[in-house]
Amino acid sequence: MPIKAAASATTTMVEEEGIEEQMPGLQFNEPLSWRAGKPIAIGVLLRRLENLLKEMRGMEQDENERDSLTKVAKDLASPNLLAHKDKGVKAWTVCCLVEILRLCAPDAPFTAQQLKDIFKTIIRGILPALSDPSNAYNNQHLHVLESLAQVKSIILLTDIPSSEELTEYLFTSFFDILAGSSKASSGELLGKNVEYNMTAILTVMVDESPTLSTEVVDVIVAQFLRTDPRALSGSSGAKSKKNGIQSDDKQSKLILRDLPPAYNMAKTICNTCPDKMGRQISQYFNDVIIDAASTSSTKIISKKAYRRSGSVDGSDDEPKGPTEDDLKDLHKAHNLLKELWRACPAVLQNVIPQLEAELSAENLQLRLLSTQTLGDIISGIGAAGLPPPPTMDSAAYPPLHLSDISDARATQNLLTNPSSPLQFPQAHPTAYASFLRRKNDKSPVIRSAWTTEIGRILSTSAGGAGLSQNEERTLIDDLAQMLIDADEKVRLAAVKVVGTFGLRFVIDKLGSVTSSSAVMGNLAERVRDRKHAVRSEAMRILARIWGVAAGEIAAEEEQAITCIAAAPSRILDTFYANDLEINALIDRALFEQLLPLSYPPIKAKAAKNVNGNSQRAKEGQNGDIESETVDPDKIRTERILILVKYLDERAKKVFFALQSRQIMLAKIMTAYLQRCEDYNGGVMDENETQIKNHLSRLIDEFTKLLPDPAKTRDNLWKFAKLHDRRSYQLIRFCIAPESDYRIVFNAIKEFTKRIESSTNAPAGMLETLTPLLYRVGVIIYNKSHVPAIMEFSRNDEKSLAATAHEILREISSKTPEVLKAHVQEICKILEEEAPTSQKANDPGAVDNLKACASFSSKFSGEIPRGRNFVQAMTNFALYGTPPEAAKYAVSIIINSSDKKGLLARDLVRKCVRDFEYGAEGFLSRLASLSQLMLLAPNEVDIESDAVIDIAIQRILLQVRTPSNEPADSYKWSETVDEECEAKCWALKILVNRIRSHTAPETLSEHAAPIYKLLNTIISQEGEVSPQTDTPPTHKSRLRLLASRLYLKLCLQKPHDALLLPADFNSLAFVAQDSKYPVRSGFLQRLKKYLGQQLLPPRFYAIPFLLAYEPISEFKLETSTWIRSRAAFFSQHKPQSLSATKAAIVMEAVFARLISLLAHHPDYASTTEDLTSFSRYITFYLQTVATEENISLIYHIAERVKQYRDAVQPPDPDSPFDTNLYHLSDLAQLTIRKFEDAHSWTIQTLPAKIRLPSALFVELKDHDDAQRIAERNHLPEDVEDGVEAVLRQELRAARPGGKKRKSDGDVHGEGREAKKPKGIPIRKAEGKEKKASHHKATAAGTKTPKNKAQSKAKLKEVEDSGERRRSGRVKSEEKNYVERSDGEDDEEMEVLSWEYMDGNEREISQELGQSDEEKG
């Protein structure tokens, strides 16, 4: 047994020795250390270290004798090697050390101090050298990095005491290497393996470290701000260096396809260790907020400083908001969150609730920051900021089409491309709900910021993550509400948000401009905003969207038409506001967005190649497109036609009025340029005073057109002093009708450059001259556009024929000069289209005929006179359809032919011979006779009896259309049958006969029966047949025509004198016809003539009868027109007697209005009727009265009581007509109430104004005058009703009908109302006491008796009695003779009125003018 045991023991020992022999140790035995003063040569040392490394790299971790490494490890860790002056020695030493750490893992054979020295050498010496790939020892550096990353021996750093500084330096150096200069002198780049291994090392450090210092967290999170160079440049130097943020050249070139390496490394760290990094970032963010909050609650600052830091009330004892440094930290922290959400949203799990809490913070800046940050987070917008907005160039060609637009809003810049990895509303629903509630924040600053953010959310589709249909609809509805917010900053922000959307989003999502609840509808409303900044931006953006969408509208894309086609109408409709600033904005919108001057950016057509082939369009160096196949004039004309096609009637009137205005302003500009040349820069040899005065008057005319008169005057004087003759010539190029479009455009372009480059021109001169160039230049009605317009009118391309004809009519009537180059072509077309008894003409020929007729009236020599053309015009006169074609053909013959007398006589005989109602061309014959009666009356006299017989006996007095309606029926029809049309032409024949009558001594005799006929038609509501069987639809048409013919007669002074006051009253009441088309047609023609100053002032009384107009739009349009006329007259400075009269036109007409109301068929002296009639006076005051003229109006109302009525003969039993006195007292009462409501003061006038002798006869008896003046003729209970009516009308006139802060605050500025003042004592009032002020009753005005107020559709409204019009009108015999006093209005004549003497004077200076031929 012992032997066996001994043997067994011996065997065991032998086996263990065998095992030890099987684990070879390190064979390297060369010395690596030395004694002081006897160092090893560097070459020898490098060779030994290389051999050592080579041997250790071949050893495996578990298959070596660790004890054999102890001596080598000790030598390698000695200061002799770690601190060696040679970089190669240190590099090879560290390579060996990391291999020892690999072989000995997990227990390193070093002391704590040795480890610290080793890692200090690695972190501070070896790893930073990786930034230079061209380093001689770069391979050794890479080996160290790879070993640390793969073996994870870097973890040992966490076990070393006081290693925080090394850890921070490690993170800082790694991020600096990746973010700093990555190129060596050889240009070699850092390898991807460097980034990968560095990321692995730092990830291990974060994951394995028990805690992370604040400095390390700062370094990591700071990398996310590297996407924002602005944040880097704003950081302090020391702090940014500490946090590892160092600006470099790469940061200025951030249009990258890959994220920066340092950014990627920080992103990987956060995504790999979300829990730990989440806690650290949450603490970091919380510390920033706490620091700012603690500063806010512990310091007090002055009132001024507190306001600067964000206070809303600025009291001295309020806590201070965040300091400037605090704000920088807050902005940096919030900016960081936006980028963290894009990169690693998981780390923000605990931060989002903190951000949500900030939304309810009391401090304004905290709420603002949190609102902006959350909005950007939801939008996926990072620290690099917003992506570039979508291209929205209204002048681009080819135009943008929806099919060419990508749904994705991608950008080449990866840093600015919105990207949200999660759907925020689903990931954080409570925070999203809190964000949405910021739309109701009390601060407009927050609401405006919130509005901007929801725009970003919508445009980026929540950072590409997508929004549900309900979420998107909610945000769009909220945006619509922000457009009508009470604060202008919010509205402006909302307007700008709409401008950031692309065309597809606008058309697909934002609704129609005609919808009151849609975003686009509210945007269109903002063009009328009270604040200039809002309406300016809204108009620019709305016009730009239309300009970009014009291609889709031209292609008749239904969705685009519904959404945006009406935008120009909404823009042009603001012209009715009569505001100079708005008018200037309209010009810029029209010529910079809707119809840009540079559209299309195509050069003039070049010649074809030698082989005849055309080339495709190509882009030139200056951005223009060179093309041989595209006609820029046709493209531009197409856009003009598209714009006009979709204009509503109101906007179309504005558009045409703007073109008419160009003619008038061009004449003023021509005179101005001539005077500038005479002025000669201020150096004149003669007529100096005359030249300066004339130049000053011309400049004053321009100052009335622009919003800043002082600036305009100053700039125009400076322009005159510049005396730049080239600039004068360029402007003349712009206004010359002979200039084609390219000349006009180049002239404006060169003029702009000359002014900009001029050293003597002030900075703001172009702001004055550019709008004037837009207004005087031949831009729309340009001769370059005429061929394209004619082409569109013939081929109806894109359904633009009707619009082309309309434009052609306007050009021919307003600027026929531009047709000179094309009139021969038009005449040739007319020859080809001439009708015969068997062939009808093309319906579009009437527009060409009208164009030629207008042209021939000015340039008769340019019209062909050959037999074929004359025969063609004769055929049009006999067979042309519609009948207007015959009318225009006659005008062409009379204006252009050398044998017009012979041709006229021959044409009259042909028209009269064998005339039969219903025969072929009978309507054309009547139209020709009507025009011949006007233009060639002497030639018609030979057949005058036959013509009169045709007009009266065979047409007017005959009823060929049976009607089953009652005799008193009165209807309107949009269609006109042949009989009604024939009667209209017959009536024109009779009226044109006296219009062309030139003998004043026999005019009254010839005119009496025609005036009697017109009065009968008007007073009998269109009935002309003795059997009273005229069809109801005929009567309304005839009444309208008779009233308009009356207006046309009164354009001539002798004919106006024949219209007696009683007949004038009957004519005036057509404005209250029961049918809207009748009264609107009459009023539109009346406003046209008044706007052209062709009718005498008494006709201004008629529009005030619209006080009870049930169509609100029509009433609003008329009231706007009245205000514009009142403003026009008020601009006449009383420098002379005529100017003084001109300045009080609208005030003086008040006496005529009182007389007109006194003879109103609905007038009665009851309390109810007087209260109702006060609405007429209120309507007058609302449109005319100002603080300056209220005393004059009151004086006129007083003067009425010193006269008696002259319109109707006095009653022997009651010589004084009390109607006038009732209305005079009613007017005075209403004016006093109006004065109190506006806090004005009525002053006593020193002089008396005489009233029109045709309407009023002065009281001769002093006692009667005193008795009438002292008596108050009103019932006692009228005052309350008047006050209620006034209050109701004032409230209705305000925007939205809302109550203002003060009734006296007519401009909505919240001015405190003054207390009612006493009425000045006047002699005429005698003992009359001022009426006491009672509280207004809650009830509104009472409905006029026997009239039902309608609120339904137009057809129902037409029969309403709201117009105060009854059937109590009697026809009386009139004596059509000259009035005995000669001048009816001598005493009240306030302006020298220009009557028509045969040809209409073409003046276009007022809105609402529709073209009408002289016939």
Side-chain angles (χ1 to χ4, degrees):
M1 288 293 297
I3 296 173
K4 291 183 179 179
S8 177
T10 301
T11 303
T12 302
M13 292 177 64
V14 172
E15 290 177 358
E16 289 178 357
E17 290 177 359
I19 294 174
E20 290 179 359
E21 290 177 358
Q22 293 175 5
M23 294 181 63
L26 183 65
Q27 302 300 317
F28 180 81
N29 58 2
E30 298 182 68
L32 296 176
S33 60
W34 61 88
R35 293 192 304 272
K38 292 185 178 182
I40 303 174
I42 294 176
V44 176
L45 191 57
L46 288 175
R47 179 180 53 76
R48 293 176 182 178
L49 291 172
E50 184 177 1
N51 293 333
L52 175 61
L53 177 63
K54 183 176 180 181
E55 182 179 353
M56 285 193 295
R57 291 186 67 175
M59 300 173 63
E60 296 297 333
Q61 187 176 24
D62 297 331
E63 300 178 1
N64 63 78
E65 177 58 49
R66 296 189 180 187
D67 292 339
S68 63
L69 302 175
T70 303
K71 182 179 183 304
V72 174
K74 181 179 179 182
D75 291 342
L76 291 173
S78 67
N80 288 341
L81 292 178
L82 290 178
H84 201 282
K85 63 180 180 180
D86 186 76
K87 295 181 180 180
V89 172
K90 287 197 292 186
W92 284 103
T93 299
V94 173
C95 287
C96 294
L97 284 171
V98 295
E99 285 300 320
I100 289 177
L101 292 177
R102 176 179 69 84
L103 295 174
C104 298
D107 299 320
F110 303 108
T111 65
Q113 183 60 43
Q114 287 177 325
L115 281 176
K116 187 172 184 180
D117 293 340
I118 293 171
F119 280 110
K120 184 176 181 181
T121 302
I122 294 174
I123 294 173
R124 291 189 177 274
I126 301 303
L127 295 181
L130 289 167
S131 61
D132 183 11
S134 62
N135 190 290
Y137 300 101
N138 188 59
N139 289 335
Q140 286 71 33
H141 302 156
L142 290 175
H143 175 76
V144 174
L145 180 68
E146 291 173 0
S147 178
L148 292 176
Q150 294 173 3
V151 182
K152 300 183 181 180
S153 52
I154 193 68
I155 298 175
L156 295 173
L157 184 61
T158 62
D159 298 331
I160 302 174
S162 303
S163 61
E164 292 80 5
E165 183 179 355
L166 284 177
T167 303
E168 180 185 348
Y169 192 88
L170 174 67
F171 278 81
T172 301
S173 62
F174 273 15
F175 283 116
D176 282 346
I177 290 171
L178 293 185
S181 176
S182 60
K183 290 185 179 181
S185 58
S186 62
E188 187 178 354
L189 297 175
L190 283 175
K192 280 292 183 180
N193 61 327
V194 175
E195 177 184 348
Y196 174 79
N197 289 321
M198 284 183 175
T199 303
I201 291 172
L202 296 189
T203 302
V204 170
M205 287 294 297
V206 171
D207 192 32
E208 297 296 336
S209 298
T211 59
L212 289 177
S213 65
T214 304
E215 289 75 10
V216 171
V217 176
D218 286 350
V219 171
I220 296 174
V221 298
Q223 308 313 311
F224 295 100
L225 296 179
R226 291 188 179 277
T227 58
D228 184 7
R230 294 167 298 178
L232 296 176
S233 61
S235 303
S236 60
K239 191 170 184 179
S240 63
K241 185 175 180 181
K242 178 181 178 181
N243 293 343
I245 307 176
Q246 295 180 357
S247 180
D248 53 60
D249 295 336
K250 284 188 66 177
Q251 299 302 320
S252 62
K253 303 175 181 179
L254 289 177
I255 303 181
L256 306 174
R257 298 190 181 276
D258 295 320
L259 290 169
Y263 180 98
N264 279 329
M265 186 159 62
K267 176 180 177 181
T268 303
I269 293 171
C270 290
N271 284 325
T272 307
C273 312
D275 294 336
K276 181 172 289 189
M277 288 304 301
R279 290 192 299 270
Q280 297 293 338
I281 291 173
S282 177
Q283 183 62 42
Y284 168 84
F285 187 71
N286 193 43
D287 290 343
V288 173
I289 298 176
I290 291 176
D291 289 344
S294 62
T295 304
S296 177
S297 62
T298 57
K299 294 184 180 180
I300 304 296
I301 62 171
S302 66
K303 182 176 183 178
K304 181 178 180 181
Y306 185 63
R307 283 178 176 168
R308 186 168 59 247
S309 62
S311 171
V312 291
D313 55 13
S315 59
D316 289 341
D317 57 351
E318 288 290 340
K320 177 187 176 183
T323 64
E324 186 175 351
D325 289 338
D326 293 333
L327 283 177
K328 285 185 178 180
D329 289 338
L330 283 170
H331 278 286
K332 175 184 173 183
H334 286 77
N335 216 23
L336 171 65
L337 296 182
K338 296 189 293 186
E339 198 60 45
L340 285 172
W341 175 264
R342 286 163 50 93
C344 40
V347 302
L348 299 182
Q349 195 67 32
N350 298 325
V351 179
I352 297 299
Q354 294 175 274
L355 198 58
E356 178 186 352
E358 277 190 12
L359 292 173
S360 303
E362 287 296 325
N363 185 270
L364 178 64
Q365 283 135 336
L366 282 179
R367 291 208 314 278
L368 178 61
L369 270 176
S370 59
T371 302
Q372 293 172 333
T373 303
L374 265 179
D376 285 349
I377 285 176
I378 300 169
S379 305
I381 296 172
L386 296 169
T391 302
M392 295 283 280
D393 184 5
S394 57
Y397 184 84
L400 194 64
H401 292 284
L402 293 179
S403 58
D404 302 332
I405 304 174
S406 174
D407 292 330
R409 187 179 179 178
T411 174
Q412 292 182 348
N413 192 340
L414 188 62
L415 302 181
T416 59
N417 189 32
S419 175
S420 178
L422 299 176
Q423 288 184 323
F424 190 90
Q426 281 69 41
H428 301 278
T430 57
Y432 182 71
S434 298
F435 171 77
L436 292 182
R437 287 194 291 269
R438 285 306 94 202
K439 68 179 179 181
N440 299 320
D441 195 284
K442 63 183 179 181
S443 171
V445 176
I446 304 299
R447 296 201 304 275
S448 61
W450 182 86
T451 302
T452 303
E453 295 304 325
I454 65 170
R456 295 177 180 179
I457 296 171
L458 289 169
S459 62
T460 63
S461 188
L467 291 167
S468 68
Q469 187 174 359
N470 290 337
E471 291 167 349
E472 185 177 63
R473 187 72 260 163
T474 299
L475 292 179
I476 292 175
D477 292 343
D478 289 341
L479 178 59
Q481 291 301 311
M482 293 299 102
L483 283 165
I484 57 175
D485 190 90
D487 192 272
E488 64 174 298
K489 291 189 288 293
V490 182
R491 300 196 301 273
L492 181 59
V495 169
K496 290 181 177 179
V497 162
V498 179
T500 63
F501 296 140
L503 180 62
R504 177 180 290 279
F505 186 87
V506 169
I507 292 178
D508 290 345
K509 306 291 185 181
L510 300 188
S512 170
V513 294
T514 59
S515 173
S516 59
S517 60
V519 171
M520 294 303 296
N522 289 345
L523 175 66
E525 283 296 321
R526 295 282 59 78
V527 301
R528 305 177 65 92
D529 198 279
R530 292 174 56 244
K531 299 298 182 180
H532 176 73
V534 180
R535 62 175 176 251
S536 174
E537 188 70 11
M539 195 173 292
R540 183 185 68 84
I541 289 175
L542 189 63
R544 187 186 67 183
I545 294 174
W546 185 92
V548 175
E552 287 298 285
I553 297 173
E556 298 184 344
E557 175 64 36
E558 186 63 31
Q559 198 172 4
I561 293 173
T562 302
C563 173
I564 197 65
S569 294
R570 303 299 297 272
I571 292 173
L572 294 176
D573 189 66
T574 60
F575 190 87
Y576 290 93
N578 198 29
D579 184 275
L580 295 179
E581 283 189 351
I582 292 179
N583 294 348
L585 292 177
I586 292 175
D587 291 328
R588 289 197 172 274
L590 187 61
F591 297 113
E592 295 176 6
Q593 301 294 344
L594 297 175
L595 304 172
L597 294 181
S598 60
Y599 178 82
I602 299 176
K603 295 182 179 179
K605 287 192 291 188
K608 289 188 177 181
N609 294 335
V610 178
N611 58 5
N613 296 328
S614 299
Q615 296 178 345
R616 297 181 60 185
K618 60 181 180 180
E619 187 173 349
Q621 293 180 353
N622 59 354
D624 289 346
I625 297 175
E626 301 176 0
S627 175
E628 297 178 359
T629 60
V630 179
D631 181 4
D633 293 329
K634 182 177 180 180
I635 295 170
R636 193 181 313 108
T637 303
E638 178 184 310
R639 177 172 283 198
I640 295 173
L641 295 177
I642 291 169
L643 185 143
V644 176
K645 177 181 179 180
Y646 292 99
L647 292 178
D648 58 28
E649 288 304 317
R650 282 169 56 89
K652 196 173 290 185
K653 291 176 184 176
V654 175
F655 182 82
F656 292 142
L658 293 179
Q659 313 317 313
S660 301
R661 180 186 64 181
Q662 181 271 330
I663 303 169
M664 179 187 67
L665 295 182
K667 295 177 181 178
I668 300 176
M669 180 60 75
T670 302
Y672 171 72
L673 295 177
Q674 182 59 48
R675 278 309 181 191
C676 284
E677 292 190 341
D678 298 339
Y679 185 67
N680 195 30
V683 181
M684 292 155 283
D685 296 332
E686 57 184 8
N687 300 327
E688 180 176 349
T689 303
Q690 179 183 356
I691 292 172
K692 287 184 176 180
N693 290 338
H694 191 196
L695 188 58
S696 179
R697 290 196 301 272
L698 292 170
I699 290 175
D700 287 341
E701 289 298 319
F702 284 126
T703 60
K704 299 173 185 178
L705 304 175
L706 298 179
D708 191 343
K711 181 179 179 181
T712 301
R713 184 178 294 105
D714 182 58
N715 284 332
L716 289 176
W717 272 113
K718 289 180 179 178
F719 179 73
K721 292 176 182 178
L722 285 178
H723 196 52
D724 184 0
R725 294 181 180 275
R726 177 59 181 171
S727 294
Y728 299 159
Q729 185 58 42
L730 291 173
I731 296 178
R732 288 190 175 100
F733 284 148
C734 293
I735 63 180
E738 298 80 14
S739 298
D740 61 26
Y741 187 85
R742 184 55 55 180
I743 291 177
V744 174
F745 172 67
N746 289 335
I748 294 176
K749 191 175 180 180
E750 182 182 345
F751 178 84
T752 302
K753 290 181 178 179
R754 288 185 69 86
I755 298 300
E756 288 176 343
S757 60
S758 175
T759 56
N760 297 325
M765 181 176 287
L766 274 180
E767 295 179 8
T768 297
L769 295 178
T770 299
L772 290 179
L773 286 180
Y774 289 159
R775 298 183 185 188
V776 303
V778 186
I779 299 175
I780 304 297
Y781 291 171
N782 190 279
K783 73 173 189 177
S784 298
H785 301 153
V786 174
I789 294 175
M790 295 173 60
E791 181 180 349
F792 278 109
S793 68
R794 291 195 300 269
N795 57 28
D796 198 22
E797 183 181 347
K798 298 186 178 180
S799 304
L800 294 174
T803 307
H805 283 303
E806 191 173 10
I807 294 288
L808 198 60
R809 288 196 299 268
E810 289 291 325
I811 293 177
S812 64
S813 61
K814 300 299 188 303
T815 56
E817 296 86 354
V818 304
L819 295 177
K820 274 188 176 182
H822 312 285
V823 68
Q824 297 293 332
E825 181 182 355
I826 296 176
C827 293
K828 184 177 180 180
I829 294 173
L830 290 175
E831 283 187 31
E832 297 172 355
E833 295 180 349
T836 63
S837 57
Q838 287 81 29
K839 183 190 75 171
N841 59 274
D842 186 271
V846 67
D847 296 306
N848 290 334
L849 285 167
K850 185 174 183 179
C852 281
S854 298
F855 184 84
S856 65
S857 64
K858 290 188 177 182
F859 308 100
S860 59
E862 302 290 334
I863 301 296
R865 300 180 181 180
R867 173 183 293 182
N868 292 338
F869 182 73
V870 173
Q871 183 60 47
M873 293 301 101
T874 303
N875 288 348
F876 272 112
L878 295 175
Y879 309 109
T881 55
E884 285 78 7
K887 167 187 164 182
Y888 299 135
V890 171
S891 297
I892 295 172
I893 293 173
I894 300 301
N895 289 335
S896 61
S897 177
D898 294 334
K899 303 177 181 179
K900 59 183 178 182
L902 178 63
L903 293 174
R905 286 190 293 271
D906 180 62
L907 190 56
V908 169
R909 284 193 292 268
K910 290 180 179 179
C911 290
V912 173
R913 184 190 309 155
D914 301 328
F915 179 87
E916 290 293 337
Y917 176 87
E920 183 69 29
F922 82 102
L923 288 177
S924 301
R925 293 188 182 188
L926 289 175
S928 296
L929 289 173
S930 170
Q931 197 70 355
L932 287 167
M933 191 69 80
L934 179 66
L935 301 180
N938 296 330
E939 285 73 14
V940 180
D941 278 346
I942 59 176
E943 298 286 349
S944 60
D945 292 340
V947 172
I948 298 300
D949 178 71
I950 291 173
I952 297 178
Q953 300 299 329
R954 301 170 68 176
I955 301 296
L956 277 176
L957 298 182
Q958 298 295 323
V959 178
R960 296 178 173 86
T961 304
S963 175
N964 298 326
E965 302 287 342
D968 58 348
S969 296
Y970 186 73
K971 293 184 177 180
W972 177 266
S973 175
E974 295 298 331
T975 58
V976 182
D977 57 30
E978 280 191 346
E979 183 181 4
C980 182
E981 191 171 4
K983 289 182 177 180
C984 291
W985 285 112
L987 200 56
K988 290 179 182 179
I989 290 173
L990 300 177
V991 172
N992 284 345
R993 184 169 183 256
I994 58 174
R995 285 180 63 195
S996 61
H997 192 85
T998 56
E1001 61 277 2
T1002 58
L1003 176 62
S1004 177
E1005 178 184 355
H1006 285 79
I1010 306 303
Y1011 273 58
K1012 181 179 179 180
L1013 175 63
L1014 294 177
N1015 286 331
T1016 301
I1017 294 174
I1018 291 174
S1019 59
Q1020 298 297 329
E1021 292 190 335
E1023 184 58 71
V1024 69
S1025 172
Q1027 290 77 27
T1028 65
D1029 56 353
T1030 302
T1033 56
H1034 291 189
K1035 290 193 290 185
S1036 59
R1037 289 277 180 181
L1038 291 174
R1039 191 179 195 223
L1040 173 60
L1041 178 62
S1043 63
R1044 295 171 78 163
L1045 291 175
Y1046 241 147
L1047 294 178
K1048 187 166 288 188
L1049 285 171
C1050 292
L1051 300 178
Q1052 303 176 35
K1053 188 173 182 179
H1055 297 89
D1056 176 58
L1058 297 179
L1059 181 61
L1060 300 179
D1063 299 334
F1064 175 85
N1065 292 344
S1066 298
L1067 174 65
F1069 296 139
V1070 177
Q1072 294 182 320
D1073 192 276
S1074 61
K1075 303 304 174 188
Y1076 172 71
V1078 176
R1079 60 181 186 270
S1080 65
F1082 170 67
L1083 261 297
Q1084 294 294 357
R1085 186 61 55 83
L1086 174 68
K1087 290 188 291 185
K1088 171 191 172 182
Y1089 292 150
L1090 287 174
Q1092 295 176 341
Q1093 299 186 30
L1094 299 177
L1095 286 173
R1098 61 170 170 168
F1099 284 89
Y1100 276 102
I1102 298 177
F1104 296 106
L1105 294 177
L1106 265 67
Y1108 279 93
E1109 171 59 46
I1111 307 299
S1112 58
E1113 293 82 2
F1114 183 51
K1115 181 180 179 181
L1116 177 62
E1117 175 188 334
T1118 303
S1119 63
T1120 303
W1121 179 86
I1122 295 173
R1123 289 189 181 96
S1124 69
R1125 297 309 300 162
F1128 170 77
F1129 289 121
S1130 67
Q1131 292 174 356
H1132 287 78
K1133 298 182 180 179
Q1135 298 175 349
S1136 61
L1137 178 61
S1138 61
T1140 302
K1141 292 178 179 180
I1144 61 169
V1145 167
M1146 304 304 290
E1147 293 83 1
V1149 81
F1150 188 53
R1152 295 187 176 276
L1153 176 61
I1154 292 178
S1155 174
L1156 184 60
L1157 294 178
H1159 298 89
H1160 197 288
D1162 284 348
Y1163 175 79
S1165 58
T1166 63
T1167 300
E1168 180 181 359
D1169 279 281
L1170 289 173
T1171 300
S1172 298
F1173 268 66
S1174 69
R1175 185 172 292 181
Y1176 291 110
I1177 301 172
T1178 301
F1179 182 62
Y1180 170 85
L1181 294 174
Q1182 286 180 300
T1183 52
V1184 175
T1186 63
E1187 190 171 6
E1188 289 74 24
N1189 66 10
I1190 190 69
S1191 300
L1192 176 59
I1193 297 173
Y1194 188 87
H1195 176 75
I1196 293 173
E1198 282 185 318
R1199 289 283 291 162
V1200 172
K1201 293 184 71 173
Q1202 300 173 19
Y1203 290 78
R1204 65 177 176 86
D1205 187 21
V1207 178
Q1208 292 182 348
D1211 187 351
D1213 299 332
S1214 178
F1216 306 112
D1217 187 356
T1218 57
N1219 289 5
L1220 285 177
Y1221 308 143
H1222 281 101
L1223 288 170
S1224 175
D1225 287 333
L1226 180 66
Q1228 295 178 57
L1229 174 62
T1230 307
I1231 294 171
R1232 290 197 299 268
K1233 296 292 183 183
F1234 193 83
E1235 172 212 15
D1236 291 342
H1238 291 75
S1239 303
W1240 295 342
T1241 302
I1242 296 178
Q1243 304 293 335
T1244 303
L1245 297 185
K1248 292 183 179 180
I1249 294 180
R1250 298 184 63 185
L1251 304 187
S1253 61
L1255 303 180
F1256 302 95
V1257 177
E1258 193 167 4
L1259 295 173
K1260 302 300 183 182
D1261 190 284
H1262 180 269
D1263 294 335
D1264 290 340
Q1266 185 70 20
R1267 185 170 59 254
I1268 292 173
E1270 292 178 354
R1271 178 186 172 189
N1272 187 353
H1273 295 77
L1274 294 177
E1276 295 181 357
D1277 54 349
V1278 167
E1279 184 174 359
D1280 289 344
V1282 171
E1283 192 170 349
V1285 168
L1286 181 63
R1287 186 185 302 107
Q1288 181 184 18
E1289 292 299 310
L1290 291 177
R1291 185 182 298 115
R1294 295 168 190 156
K1298 296 181 179 179
K1299 187 175 181 180
R1300 288 179 182 153
K1301 296 179 180 179
S1302 166
D1303 283 343
D1305 181 20
V1306 294
H1307 297 293
E1309 297 297 334
R1311 182 177 54 151
E1312 183 179 357
K1314 299 179 182 178
K1315 296 181 179 179
K1317 298 172 290 295
I1319 304 301
I1321 300 176
R1322 298 169 176 80
K1323 295 180 180 179
E1325 290 182 351
K1327 299 180 182 180
E1328 180 182 357
K1329 297 182 179 179
K1330 178 186 173 184
S1332 60
H1333 294 275
H1334 298 288
K1335 293 183 178 179
T1337 58
T1341 56
K1342 299 178 182 179
T1343 305
K1345 57 184 179 180
N1346 301 326
K1347 305 293 179 181
Q1349 186 175 6
S1350 173
K1351 297 181 181 179
K1353 296 181 180 179
L1354 176 61
K1355 186 174 181 180
E1356 298 172 351
V1357 166
E1358 288 176 352
D1359 296 327
S1360 169
E1362 279 292 318
R1363 295 165 302 282
R1364 297 290 306 175
R1365 179 73 176 92
S1366 70
R1368 297 179 295 181
V1369 181
K1370 297 181 180 179
S1371 177
E1372 298 181 1
E1373 295 292 331
K1374 305 293 180 183
N1375 184 20
Y1376 298 92
V1377 295
E1378 294 272 358
R1379 281 164 285 193
S1380 59
D1381 58 355
E1383 291 292 335
D1384 178 41
D1385 297 333
E1386 183 178 357
E1387 295 84 357
M1388 284 289 286
E1389 185 177 8
V1390 293
L1391 189 64
S1392 179
W1393 230 256
E1394 181 171 344
Y1395 285 86
M1396 302 265 310
D1397 295 328
N1399 292 325
E1400 292 191 10
R1401 187 163 58 102
E1402 292 189 346
I1403 299 177
S1404 302
Q1405 57 184 353
E1406 194 54 46
L1407 190 62
Q1409 304 172 36
S1410 58
D1411 178 70
E1412 181 192 20
E1413 283 298 314
K1414 291 177 289 186

